[in-house]
Amino acid sequence: MEKAWYKEGVVYQIYPRSFFDSNNDGIGDLKGIVAKIPYLKELGVDIVWLSPVYKSPMEDNGYDISDYQDISKDFGTMDDMKDLIFKMHEAGIKLVMDLVINHTSKEHPWFIKSENKDGKYVDYYHWEPKKRNWSSFFGGEAWTFSEKRGEYYLHLFAKGQPDLNWDNENVRQDIKEMIKFWLDLGVDGFRCDVINIIAKNNNHPNGKFKLILKGSEHYFDNPNLHVYLKELYEDVFSKYDCFTVGETVFINPKTAADLVNPERKELNMVFQFDHMAADNHVVKWFIKKFKPFNLKKPLSKWQKELNGWNTLYLENHDQGRSISRFGNMDYYYQSATLLATIIYFQQGTPFIYQGQEIGMTNAHYTELSQYQDIETHNIYKLGRKFLFSHNSMMKRIKLMSRDNARTPMQWNDQIHAGFSRSRPWLEVNGNYKIVNVKNNQEQTKTILDYYKKIIKLRHDNEIIVYGDYEDIDYKNKRIYAYKRTYNKQELYVLCNFSPNVIRIKKYDFLNQKLILQNYSEITSEIMKPYEARVYLKK
Ligand code: NOJ
């Protein structure tokens, strides 16, 4: 196994809009992130991934970019960005940006010129004189008519997010120049948005009948994907000390292995989504009761089957909070720390999403109007069109809306949770008086403290980073246990993923050194609800 800094580091994802508001306009900003660098240091993370801060009309909160080489006024200026890169580096933290290159905003000059059939921009996007039946990831149709051009354009996400035509060499050239611009400014890598769907069948035939994502057979697993990623790697990434992590939707370990195989020179790692379906039928709005085994099964599959480097995550800006989905509020501290133990002792690079480290929960909104997210509103409309009741749609939204992850970071028990002195762009979660950073810092035995311990353990023990993975008692529905092996060392994770007290086997590792636990009192062969332990045998 080749060693690398991005394998050994712990990544912290910041959703800038909701992290910290330095100028009190209700929106988090770059100066706000600078102000919280001491907090990131205290937590011990090595790398920060910033969700998009580029210029954007904000139809999809910045995932619709109108200028790749400028910063949105909501977040600050280019000088603020340079300052952030500098200060992060000064603090020993690397900075990774979001790279949204499947699509732009329809306000991007390339699209405006393409709509006008202007010179080299004519084919910068996907155009068709006749509408195709493809459907979008946000629900609804994926081809929309442009009055100006008199043709339909493809948008796999919102109407304001037209898909770029990657078969066009000029598009690829412009994108490469843009990536170089950021790397030259000192950025250390990129999280590449929906990167596995950039290559499409350019004849755009109608899609086969499907309930969701009609047309997806024309862009999933397109062989050109590998060609284009190689080109990016060879012409740009290989020239810098940086890493890439691709967001890859509907991916299996085999395709993922091709994407991250170091010899193929495409990406360094990918985010897969199998374990995010532990409480739904793959489409997140079709919810089902969560069962711990449905989390264990896919996680274990990726540990065993991916011939390559994994990413380890339970949350991001698109997912409901893990404690609300997979934990148990009656055992709040224990289940939050159990989840962290399960995921962050596996092999791969850990990603922590802002607020996860203090046990932030889903939003508890009651009205649809409290949600801001475009996907949430689209899905509500679509669901109602298909005759789902208001209550049924609200139940799904309460669990799955992306806004659950986007509520402002809860810094303290003061007004607006210390995020801003003005009314935030999205309502603060009502539990901020209890769940906040300050309480976590001042009290003993907190979730934050536990996260700090995990991060330190990863830094101090190579076995947690590089060790081989093996399940223990895989079929047990309540016990989640596994072993890591590295050189002559062994590490054991043992968790009771249930609200019951259970008697466990006399595992022979029970007499090894306990290096982490989420209960102060331990009875060797009895496990309390959501108890988590980590043993190290040297
Ligand atoms: C995935 C991003 O994570 C999500 O937030 C965004 O809406 C879509 N891609 C479109 O860019």
Side-chain angles (χ1 to χ4, degrees), residues 127-138:
W127 292 101
E128 283 296 339
K130 283 210 186 98
K131 190 186 213 166
R132 302 300 198 246
N133 67 354
W134 301 14
S135 42
S136 114
F137 280 76
F138 285 168

Side-chain angles (χ1 to χ4, degrees), residues 168-182:
N168 184 326
E169 209 183 314
N170 291 324
V171 168
R172 304 202 299 277
Q173 202 46 43
D174 279 349
I175 285 177
K176 286 190 273 186
E177 290 308 318
M178 173 277 283
I179 300 175
K180 279 188 205 150
F181 166 85
W182 287 107

Side-chain angles (χ1 to χ4, degrees), residues 60 63 103 138 157 191 193-194 247 317-318 402 406:
D60 185 20
Y63 282 90
H103 46 267
F138 285 168
F157 294 89
R191 174 268 188 186
D193 193 66
V194 289
E247 184 201 27
H317 64 291
D318 292 333
R402 308 193 296 182
R406 299 175 180 185

